Amino acid sequence: SYGNYDASRIAILKRMADRLWEVDPGAYVILEHWTDNSEETVLSNYGMMLWANVTYAYQETAMGYHTWDDGSYGKSDFSWGYFREHGWSVPHVVTYMESHDEERMMFKNINYGGSSGEYSTKDLPVALDRMKAAASFFFATPGPRMIWQFGELGYDVGIFYQCKTCNKPIRWNYLNDPLRRKLYDTYSALIALRRAHAVFTEPGTSVSALLDREVKYLRLNHPWNGEKVVVVGNFDVIAREASVYFPVAGTWHDFFARTDLEVTASSQLMTLEPGEFHVFTSFQPRVVPAEGLVTVDADADVELPTAVELHANWPNPFNPTTTVAFDLPRAVSVRLDVVDVSGRLVARLVDGVRNAGRHEVAFEARGLASGVYLVRLEAGGIARSRTMLLLK
């Protein structure tokens, strides 16, 4: 009866929730429930929150894929992340772009992303900017959101690294990468905007949206304070002309561009470059984002490596974990292996396309015997190797 309405299950959950609220009336009760919506509606109305998985649609959105094999739309439609799509009266849908169960968006971008001409969602600056565009819709939608670990920095280690449930390498060094830091600051600015204005959090806010096409729209209208928001983004890999509807004439504020747009007619014709998005507000935002957070050429001031280079691991000797770093002057297919002195493969650390720049990969040697090992890099037809010493 897992997917069907089960009154006994509802009674059990209500009893547990009531006991929690006796101890702490402000406690959040969040369920990974996955049952029929009629059952989830009862639990939502009772005060519990429930997960809604739209990770696949966000992945397809960021990569630039919008139609199924038969040409119909819906592949990138993440509207199920909005509580009224469930027919609920309260904003108790906890949605997310990533979780512990699905592949990372950035991993999908740089390994499987779409392209047209020189524009490719596999390129790191483009992939990160498309994450920002997806986040603008994610945070603007009323209801609780969940950010999975390091998603705000564009974490791109695959879920099957070593094994699906194995520990994944920590990437605090991403904070020092100017491209990834801009994604982090974009998340921060969107969250601050959301917290500063009731239009994003008021359950009575009216929402209209078109979220299954290449150009997506989201419009918010607060029920009594007059705050209005229009979010528009082109998630295609080519430029698109779009008619952007503004519910009222007057001065609108482009949040990230930090400029004003004078709207004289309800429909404004705009040409949007691939990956371009805007968050327009009818009010002067109380939050001012940093300049240049969403420009696709954000790497213009970043000095890229001039050659393929494999650096000495650190620490060395090590036990049981060490870090291997390598530089790439351009995006290429990479294979990074650890082998023993007889040439036997011990671990495959990287196998796929990686973008230009510095890459750091953790290697855990738990279960291996002390001794000398080789880390071997193959990238763009160039091979490099270095020795590592494991001492236990």
Side-chain angles (χ1 to χ4, degrees):
S1 63
Y2 180 74
N4 301 317
Y5 189 92
D6 188 330
S8 63
R9 181 166 52 211
I10 292 175
I12 292 170
L13 289 168
K14 284 182 176 181
R15 176 177 57 79
M16 291 191 292
D18 287 339
R19 183 68 186 99
L20 286 169
W21 289 326
E22 286 177 15
V23 176
D24 182 359
Y28 294 135
V29 179
I30 303 174
L31 308 178
E32 184 180 0
H33 202 55
W34 310 138
T35 61
D36 186 79
N37 187 55
S38 61
E39 183 173 326
E40 294 197 341
T41 301
V42 173
L43 297 169
S44 171
N45 289 337
Y46 200 71
M48 303 180 217
M49 301 181 189
L50 301 101
W51 281 14
N53 186 346
V54 287
T55 56
Y56 181 84
Y58 273 110
Q59 290 170 356
E60 299 301 306
T61 291
M63 289 188 291
Y65 304 123
H66 305 280
T67 58
W68 302 103
D69 291 342
D70 63 2
S72 63
Y73 282 100
K75 196 173 189 179
S76 68
D77 183 0
F78 47 77
S79 59
W80 191 242
Y82 177 47
F83 72 97
R84 294 201 185 278
E85 289 291 317
H86 297 240
W88 298 0
S89 59
V90 286
H92 286 173
V93 167
V94 180
T95 193
Y96 44 90
M97 296 191 290
E98 298 177 309
S99 81
H100 62 283
D101 277 330
E102 291 86 20
E103 191 56 89
R104 290 282 185 166
M105 287 179 67
M106 277 296 292
F107 181 87
K108 295 288 287 285
N109 282 349
I110 63 178
N111 284 282
Y112 309 112
S115 64
S116 178
E118 295 183 357
Y119 182 87
S120 174
T121 66
K122 291 181 178 180
D123 292 340
L124 182 62
V126 176
L128 289 170
D129 267 356
R130 292 181 75 93
M131 290 286 290
K132 299 169 195 174
S136 70
F137 284 82
F138 179 69
F139 289 114
T141 304
R145 315 286 92 178
M146 183 183 79
I147 307 171
W148 186 235
Q149 302 164 347
F150 290 100
E152 72 280 8
L153 290 167
Y155 192 82
D156 52 10
V157 177
I159 194 172
F160 294 104
Y161 172 83
Q162 295 188 343
C163 77
K164 186 172 183 179
T165 57
C166 291
N167 291 336
K168 302 301 185 286
I170 296 173
R171 289 289 189 255
W172 286 119
N173 59 296
Y174 280 3
L175 276 170
N176 299 320
D177 183 324
L179 297 182
R180 297 181 186 275
R181 183 58 194 238
K182 287 184 177 183
L183 176 61
Y184 179 95
D185 290 342
T186 299
Y187 269 54
S188 178
L190 287 166
I191 293 171
L193 179 68
R194 175 187 173 97
R195 290 169 60 88
H197 295 279
V199 66
F200 298 105
T201 55
E202 166 60 49
T205 290
S206 63
V207 175
S208 61
L210 178 66
L211 300 176
D212 67 342
R213 305 302 167 100
E214 293 87 352
V215 177
K216 301 183 186 295
Y217 304 90
L218 181 67
R219 305 181 188 93
L220 312 179
N221 183 15
H222 194 279
W224 53 264
N225 73 5
E227 290 182 340
K228 296 175 176 58
V229 176
V230 174
V231 184
V232 59
N234 176 18
F235 291 95
D236 205 346
V237 293
I238 60 173
R240 287 275 182 174
E241 194 171 68
S243 294
V244 183
Y245 172 75
F246 290 87
V248 296
T251 301
W252 284 73
H253 307 280
D254 190 332
F255 179 63
F256 284 109
R258 296 168 43 166
T259 58
D260 292 341
L261 176 67
E262 294 300 327
V263 173
T264 58
S266 60
S267 182
Q268 302 286 308
L269 191 63
M270 298 182 178
T271 299
L272 300 174
E273 295 300 317
E276 182 179 350
F277 71 98
H278 297 271
V279 178
F280 295 107
T281 64
S282 66
F283 50 87
Q284 184 67 53
R286 301 189 188 103
V287 177
V288 180
E291 289 186 282
L293 291 183
V294 298
T295 54
V296 175
D297 61 350
D299 63 339
D301 57 350
V302 178
E303 185 175 347
L304 295 175
T306 59
V308 173
E309 185 63 51
L310 176 64
H311 299 278
N313 64 296
W314 73 92
N316 194 26
F318 68 98
N319 178 28
T321 303
T322 189
T323 299
V324 178
F326 59 93
D327 295 337
L328 301 174
R330 67 186 189 282
V332 294
S333 180
V334 173
R335 180 167 291 178
L336 185 68
D337 293 335
V338 176
V339 301
D340 61 20
V341 290
S342 66
R344 180 179 64 88
L345 179 66
V346 171
R348 176 148 292 160
L349 306 183
V350 177
D351 188 10
V353 175
R354 293 296 181 268
N355 287 286
R358 169 67 61 90
H359 299 265
E360 296 178 3
V361 182
F363 170 58
E364 185 173 308
R366 209 178 300 275
L368 295 178
S370 296
V372 175
Y373 294 85
L374 292 176
V375 58
R376 189 165 57 199
L377 173 71
E378 297 179 11
I382 297 173
R384 298 280 189 270
S385 63
R386 286 185 178 271
T387 59
M388 304 189 297
L389 180 60
L390 172 62
L391 290 180
K392 293 188 173 180

